[in-house]
């Protein structure tokens, strides 16, 4: 009975559904004398702080202290690139916190913050990508992926198309907003509870702000109510404020943003803008692509550069592009600092190439799925090499998944049904599309691809597992529990996965890039195996056999020679203790074979690729642009699933989150640079009503990935990009309102955007008589 690969519920599922699972802010009652923090927020997108008067706030009953730049003992910066002052002199976006008020209650802190008097000198603000490009307002380096000769390729192409597309941002809308509680102990050590995907970096930032060595700062994350990339770096400033408050007052300090503050203060998915020129043959084979990507990075660098790098490494998606020049620039604007968000730029890169292929197909009058398939890697001359020099391992899976999915989703039959429906219905049209996903797994930055674990076995045979990964709902701890139980040969309930703490495993990477299970799982497995080897020695002595012949399974230990003679795991552990054998071990893993030349954008940045494909079918109303998602079929490759229920949830959840980004979630900013969509009432999130009527998800069978823990593959982000099929299906339906040709659909494809796309198609049909 294998525990890895077993379909079990999330390890905290009962706690989640009964409301008993604790999140950072739920710990507050444990600290009755905690102070509450409230930000003083600037009412300008760009301004200089001329003066600040904090005295009036102190007159509010309950206000204890106002934190300003003068209070920072270390460095007044909550980032690692020196461009994120915690208490700024220059306001860089609307609502930025310029000071924080600490008080006995949240209400007192809020009233205090209202009384802080700040004089600003407003400065001109850059509020759009176009404006940033016009003014040359950029941050970080210009990144470029280049292969072949694009100019010559374009000249040699039978056809050339030019176009542009803008993609909106996306609010993370994790259910748990940014939260932190910091404590100071009697010896001057700082302990920070933080809802962070990257406890080690949170520790680093807290230490930096307080001017302390890192060994005096401990950060713990019990679990997050969602991170989605939004807590990869952006938990840090709030942890730093809490820690600074605790450090200065000696009292516990709690920072917890309310929803409004969270939306106004924190960064989002990067909006992107692309312009391109593509050359192709009469058969729709891509020959050359020149594409320029611009992202709206907001006010600070944050993760914008690596996000752009991942976008550039995914504009190929599953397709071979012989001549490519992809250039990326991050615009600096006076907006929230855009940051990691599930897919990390990959989704943006992929939407662009899918858009381009759709246009190529429609300009030739070919079905888009035919043009897509023709361009897959493996086509003649590709040698399966990506534009950044990495071979696409298991490239045949792209075609395999494509064909399997088309078969199981009845794609060809439904194509005909859709055409028939559209024949009969002048005012309602259906559309269907299939799109592939190829997503690179590993951090582009090679050094991040390492992980550690510390496994402790107690004398009763029970086990604690510590590792560097954080749990944000994605099921990492469930997978770790399965891995540890499998590796030690004990039942699942013998394993306790501990909250993530920087004093158990140091210098960890963010739980991000979907690598949580790959990296930490491998480290945990190695630690468990060390312990098992020692225990096997002890048991072998008892059985009088070779250690290699000792079996550990489900809490029992026996030898191949005499399977009926059995010891319990606890008995072996006790015997080991008596013989003074070490019952705990560390594990350390680093992904082998990676190298990346950042300047040339060349190398092998990814350990492997995750593959998948989705078929979506929609029905659109020609009068309103409103639509329904009739059916979705997904075939996704997770290798040998570590935990099939968890993986299914990740595929479904990722898809729906992608659907939200591409069809519903419409972030608006007003002319002052203020986020206008600041709550769930104005920012439409996907919910039950947007679920497809039929939703089939299959995991690719027989998909063992050698060289990854138990043959599995990462699953956290790749499925988000399966939702591109919905956007493409909408275009397919829109096209049916006209007489063929290119469809121009804005993103997000809200009903309004779909309506305008239909109008354009209809107008063209009128003019050309098509
Ligand atoms: N799933 C849930 N339920 N909540 C989350 O916050 N984050 C996603 C993904 N799935 C997220 C999630 C993101 S952005 C990443 S990178 C991965 O989970 C991180 O976890 P993993 O590496 O363990 O897959
Ligand atoms: Mo995920 S965007 O890598 O946290």
């Amino acid at each position: 009975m294998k525990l890895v690969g077993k379909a079990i519920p999330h390890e905290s599922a009962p706690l989640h559904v009964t409301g008993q699972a604790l999140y950072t802010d739920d710990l507050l009652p444990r600290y009755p004398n905690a102070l509450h923090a409230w930000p003083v927020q600037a009412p300008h997108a760009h301004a200089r702080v001329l003066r600040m008067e904090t005295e009036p706030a102190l007159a509010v009953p309950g206000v204890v202290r106002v934190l300003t730049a003068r209070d920072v003992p270390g460095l007044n910066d909550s980032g690692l690139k020196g461009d994120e002052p915690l208490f700024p002199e220059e306001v860089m976006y609307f609502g930025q916190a310029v000071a924080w008020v600490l008080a006995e209650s949240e209400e007192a802190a809020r009233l205090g913050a209202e009384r802080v008097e700040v004089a600003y000198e407003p400065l001109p603000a850059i509020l759009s990508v176009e404006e940033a490009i016009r003014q040359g307002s950029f941050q970080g380096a210009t990144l470029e992926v280049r292969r072949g000769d694009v100019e010559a390729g374009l000249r040699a192409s039978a056809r050339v198309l030019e176009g542009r597309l803008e993609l909106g941002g996306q609010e993370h809308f994790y259910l748990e907003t940014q939260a932190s509680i910091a404590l100071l102990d009697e010896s001057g050590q700082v302990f920070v509870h933080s809802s962070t995907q990257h406890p080690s970096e949170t520790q680093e930032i807290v230490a930096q702000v307080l001017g302390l060595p890192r060994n005096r700062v401990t950060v713990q994350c019990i679990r997050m109510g969602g991170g989605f990339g939004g807590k990869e770096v952006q938990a840090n400033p709030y942890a730093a404020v809490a820690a600074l408050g605790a450090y200065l007052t000696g009292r516990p300090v709690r920072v917890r943003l309310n929803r409004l503050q969270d939306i106004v203060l924190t960064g989002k998915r990067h909006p992107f803008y692309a312009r391109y020129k593509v050359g192709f043959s009469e058969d729709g084979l891509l020959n050359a692509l020149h594409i320029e990507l611009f992202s709206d990075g907001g006010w600070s660098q944050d993760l914008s550069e690596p996000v752009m790098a991942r976008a550039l490494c995914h504009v190929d998606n599953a397709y071979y592009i012989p001549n490519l020049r992809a250039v990326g620039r991050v615009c600096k604007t006076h907006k929230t600092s855009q940051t990691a968000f599930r897919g990390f730029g990959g989704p943006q890169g992929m939407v662009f190439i899918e858009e381009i292929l759709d246009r190529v197909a429609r300009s030739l009058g070919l079905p888009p799925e035919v043009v897509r398939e023709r361009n897959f890697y493996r086509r003649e001359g590709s040698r399966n090499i990506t534009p950044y020099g990495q071979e696409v391992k298991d490239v045949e899976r792209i075609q395999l998944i494509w064909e399997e999915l088309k078969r199981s989703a009845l794609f060809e039959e439904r194509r005909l049904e859709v055409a028939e429906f559209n024949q009969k219905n002048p005012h309602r049209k259906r559309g269907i599309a299939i799109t592939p996903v190829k997503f690179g797994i590993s951090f582009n930055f090679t050094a991040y691809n390492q992980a550690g674990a510390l496994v402790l076995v107690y004398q009763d045979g029970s086990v604690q597992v510590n590792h560097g990964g954080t749990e944000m709902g994605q099921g990492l701890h469930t997978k770790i529990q399965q891995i540890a139980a499998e590796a030690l040969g004990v039942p699942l309930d013998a394993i306790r996965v501990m909250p993530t703490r920087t004093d158990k495993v140091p210098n960890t990477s963010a739980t991000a890039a979907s690598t949580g299970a790959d990296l930490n799982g491998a480290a945990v497995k190695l630690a468990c195996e060390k312990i098992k080897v020692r225990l096997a020695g002890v048991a072998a002595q008892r059985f009088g056999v070779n250690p290699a012949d000792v079996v550990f399974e489900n809490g029992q230990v026996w030898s191949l020679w005499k399977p009926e003679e059995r010891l319990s795991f606890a008995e072996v552990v006790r015997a080991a203790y008596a013989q003074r054998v070490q019952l705990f071990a560390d594990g350390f893993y680093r992904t082998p074979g990676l190298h990346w030349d950042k300047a040339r954008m060349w190398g092998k940045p990814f350990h492997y690729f995750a593959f998948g494909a989705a078929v979506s079918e929609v029905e659109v109303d020609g009068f309103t642009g409103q639509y329904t998602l009739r059916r979705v079929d997904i075939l996704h490759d997770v290798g040998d699933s570590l935990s099939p229920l968890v993986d299914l949830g990740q595929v479904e959840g990722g898809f729906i989150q992608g659907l939200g980004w591409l069809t519903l979630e419409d972030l608006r900013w007003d002319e002052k640079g203020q986020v206008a969509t600041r709550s769930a009432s104005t920012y439409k999130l996907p919910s039950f009503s947007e679920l497809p009527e039929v939703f089939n998800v299959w995991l690719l069978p027989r998909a063992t990935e050698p060289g990854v823990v138990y043959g599995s593959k990462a699953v956290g982000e790749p499925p988000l990009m399966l939702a591109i099929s919905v956007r493409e299906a909408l275009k397919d339906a829109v096209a049916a309102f006209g007489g063929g040709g290119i469809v121009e659909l804005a993103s997000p494809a809200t009903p309004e955007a779909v309506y305008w796309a239909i109008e354009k198609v209809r107008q063209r049909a009128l003019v050309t008589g098509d």
Side-chain angles (χ1 to χ4, degrees):
M1 187 210 41
K2 282 189 72 86
L3 296 174
V4 153
K6 195 175 164 188
I8 59 166
H10 190 286
E11 81 9 270
S12 288
L15 300 180
H16 289 157
V17 298
T18 55
Q20 292 178 83
L22 294 183
Y23 298 86
T24 293
D25 199 53
D26 296 324
L27 304 176
L28 186 60
R30 295 183 190 174
Y31 310 106
N33 69 333
L35 294 172
H36 302 253
W38 197 274
V40 177
Q41 295 181 268
H44 301 284
H46 190 199
R48 217 182 315 280
V49 177
L50 299 175
R51 277 182 315 281
M52 192 184 301
E53 200 55 66
T54 56
E55 284 300 316
L58 297 172
V60 173
V63 170
V64 170
R65 186 156 182 158
V66 181
L67 301 177
T68 68
R70 278 194 306 276
D71 298 309
V72 177
L75 191 66
N76 177 20
D77 199 293
S78 61
L80 292 174
K81 298 193 171 73
D83 66 348
E84 288 179 38
L86 189 57
F87 302 96
E89 285 170 16
E90 185 182 346
V91 172
M92 293 296 284
Y93 69 104
F94 196 104
Q96 186 171 14
V98 292
W100 289 79
V101 176
L102 305 181
E104 302 288 347
S105 70
E106 203 170 349
E107 184 59 6
R110 185 181 71 78
L111 292 173
E114 275 178 10
R115 299 285 293 277
V116 174
E117 292 165 11
V118 191
Y120 299 96
E121 178 197 347
L123 299 168
I126 298 172
L127 298 173
S128 69
V129 168
E130 303 88 86
E131 190 55 37
I133 296 173
R134 205 160 27 239
Q135 295 196 22
S137 174
F138 299 111
Q139 50 180 242
T142 302
L143 302 179
E144 183 170 334
V145 174
R146 179 190 273 254
R147 165 162 73 192
D149 186 338
V150 167
E151 288 309 319
L154 287 170
R155 273 196 305 275
S157 296
R159 300 243 190 162
V160 173
L161 268 181
E162 278 182 69
R164 49 189 63 209
L165 180 65
E166 227 174 296
L167 299 176
Q170 184 178 23
E171 163 60 34
H172 298 86
F173 230 105
Y174 24 61
L175 286 180
E176 179 206 22
T177 52
Q178 302 282 355
S180 185
I181 299 174
L183 324 166
L184 185 72
D185 79 7
E186 67 292 347
S187 60
Q189 319 238 24
V190 181
F191 186 93
V192 185
H193 294 285
S194 171
S195 180
T196 173
Q197 286 175 245
H198 197 172
S200 284
E201 195 178 276
T202 303
Q203 173 198 28
E204 180 176 0
I205 295 297
V206 166
Q208 167 175 298
V209 169
L210 298 184
L212 291 176
R214 285 184 221 176
N215 67 352
R216 286 180 54 192
V217 178
T218 301
V219 173
Q220 167 169 301
C221 176
I222 40 176
R223 62 161 64 75
M224 281 165 279
F228 305 114
K231 295 169 182 170
E232 198 173 322
V233 299
Q234 298 216 357
N236 298 341
Y238 311 103
V241 168
L244 178 64
Y247 191 73
L248 295 175
T249 64
R251 291 175 60 176
V253 172
R254 168 235 194 182
V255 175
R256 193 223 49 180
L257 303 185
N258 63 29
R259 182 63 62 187
L260 178 71
Q261 291 165 339
D262 197 293
I263 294 182
V264 169
L265 285 168
T266 68
K268 299 154 200 336
R269 181 187 293 284
H270 289 75
F272 265 65
Y273 166 75
R275 47 188 192 221
Y276 58 83
K277 203 169 180 180
V278 61
F280 50 100
S281 72
E282 296 290 349
D283 302 328
L285 286 174
L286 298 183
N287 185 33
L289 173 64
H290 183 197
I291 184 164
E292 290 172 282
L293 306 187
F294 297 92
S295 70
D296 182 345
W299 72 279
S300 75
Q301 291 188 64
D302 200 287
L303 294 164
S304 294
E305 205 180 279
V307 164
M308 178 58 81
R310 188 164 278 267
L312 293 168
C313 288
H314 286 81
V315 286
D316 61 328
N317 194 11
Y319 312 107
Y320 172 59
I321 309 167
N323 301 290
L324 174 77
R325 194 169 163 223
V327 185
R329 287 248 63 182
V330 179
C331 296
K332 181 170 178 168
T333 62
H334 296 101
K335 286 185 174 175
T336 54
S337 178
Q338 288 16 305
T339 191
F341 197 138
R342 208 168 190 172
F344 207 80
Q348 289 94 326
M350 276 190 211
V351 171
F352 292 132
I353 193 66
E354 295 303 337
E355 164 88 1
I356 288 168
L357 284 167
D358 187 69
R359 288 189 173 212
V360 165
R362 293 189 189 281
S363 73
L364 294 167
L366 291 169
E369 64 273 13
V370 169
V371 171
R372 290 199 163 96
E373 186 173 347
R374 278 182 192 166
N375 280 287
F376 282 167
Y377 274 104
R378 253 180 124 184
R379 78 177 163 97
E380 223 174 282
S382 87
R383 293 179 300 124
N384 311 331
I385 306 285
T386 64
Y388 47 88
Q390 170 157 3
E391 190 189 340
V392 185
K393 195 164 82 68
D394 294 326
V395 69
E396 66 286 349
R397 280 203 193 164
I398 298 172
Q399 188 78 39
L400 175 78
I401 289 173
W402 189 258
E403 280 164 18
E404 279 293 316
L405 180 65
K406 276 176 83 175
R407 211 181 351 264
S408 50
L410 306 172
F411 186 84
E412 300 301 345
E413 292 91 319
R414 286 165 59 207
R415 245 253 174 271
L416 295 176
E417 282 168 25
V418 164
E420 205 175 307
F421 178 91
N422 291 345
Q423 272 291 322
K424 290 190 195 137
N425 293 278
H427 304 306
R428 299 187 73 79
K429 301 288 181 189
R430 289 184 181 166
I432 189 167
I434 176 168
T435 56
V437 166
K438 167 186 130 285
F439 189 80
I441 300 298
S442 293
F443 291 96
N444 272 62
F445 182 58
T446 303
Y448 283 166
N449 297 288
Q450 58 173 304
L454 178 64
V455 174
L456 316 177
V457 177
Y458 294 92
Q459 282 187 63
D460 61 355
S462 68
V463 182
Q464 282 186 349
V465 175
N466 302 275
H467 64 92
T470 54
E471 174 63 41
M472 58 193 101
Q474 87 277 39
L476 175 60
H477 284 1
T478 312
K479 291 180 172 180
I480 295 287
Q481 192 183 20
Q482 289 175 277
I483 288 169
E486 181 79 36
L488 285 173
V490 298
L492 285 172
D493 60 12
I495 306 289
R496 198 158 159 240
V497 181
M498 303 304 289
T500 316
R501 293 175 61 126
T502 56
D503 56 357
K504 289 292 174 60
V505 181
N507 313 317
T508 55
S509 297
T511 307
S514 304
T515 59
D518 284 23
L519 298 176
N520 298 290
V524 165
K525 183 165 180 272
L526 287 169
C528 290
E529 282 166 353
K530 277 191 197 169
I531 295 171
K532 197 159 82 173
V533 164
R534 295 179 203 144
L535 293 177
V538 172
Q541 262 180 6
R542 287 279 286 269
F543 295 134
V545 301
N546 189 300
D549 295 341
V550 176
V551 180
F552 290 73
E553 206 181 284
N554 198 26
Q556 302 211 304
V557 185
W558 68 88
S559 89
L560 293 171
W561 297 96
K562 235 186 174 185
E564 63 284 0
E565 186 186 336
R566 297 200 168 197
L567 293 170
S568 72
F569 184 77
E571 285 172 304
V572 178
V573 165
R574 262 192 299 275
Y577 172 79
Q579 293 174 32
R580 293 182 291 173
V581 170
Q582 188 183 342
L583 286 171
F584 59 98
D586 61 345
F588 180 76
Y589 175 78
R590 53 186 192 157
T591 316
L594 302 178
H595 60 97
W596 182 240
D597 179 341
K598 190 184 149 205
R600 285 171 58 225
M601 296 278 288
W602 184 263
K604 184 182 182 243
F606 306 123
H607 193 30
Y608 59 88
F609 294 95
F611 300 108
V615 172
S616 291
E617 184 184 330
V618 297
E619 186 174 318
V620 176
D621 179 298
F623 294 116
T624 61
Q626 279 186 328
Y627 51 81
T628 51
L629 184 51
R630 288 168 46 77
R631 175 168 167 180
V632 173
D633 294 82
I634 289 171
L635 179 55
H636 194 76
D637 170 17
V638 298
D640 289 339
S641 176
L642 290 170
S643 197
L645 269 185
V646 166
D647 283 351
L648 221 55
Q650 285 293 293
V651 175
E652 292 173 353
F655 176 86
I656 295 293
Q657 197 163 36
L659 170 95
W661 171 49
L662 289 171
T663 67
L664 303 166
E665 299 179 42
D666 198 358
L667 267 174
R668 299 285 177 104
W669 308 71
D670 69 13
E671 63 293 340
K672 287 194 294 192
Q674 192 170 192
V675 189
T677 43
R678 283 179 289 176
S679 69
S681 59
T682 48
Y683 186 73
K684 177 82 186 90
L685 292 161
S687 60
F688 283 117
S689 46
E690 281 74 32
L691 275 175
E693 290 155 35
V694 180
F695 196 4
N696 297 317
V697 178
W698 295 283
L699 302 178
L700 184 73
R702 294 177 299 282
T704 313
E705 182 64 27
V708 186
V709 62
Y710 289 112
S712 66
K713 271 191 181 183
V715 69
E717 296 165 288
L720 184 131
M721 286 148 272
L722 297 167
I724 298 172
S725 60
V726 180
R727 183 180 147 73
E728 295 302 310
L730 284 169
K731 281 194 265 172
D732 196 51
V734 169
F737 283 98
I742 284 170
V743 174
E744 287 176 52
L745 176 61
S747 192
T750 57
E752 185 185 342
V754 170
Y755 175 79
W756 290 118
I758 295 171
E759 272 302 290
K760 269 193 189 159
V761 167
R762 281 186 184 135
Q763 291 302 326
R764 191 173 53 212
L766 282 181
V767 174
T768 62
D770 270 353

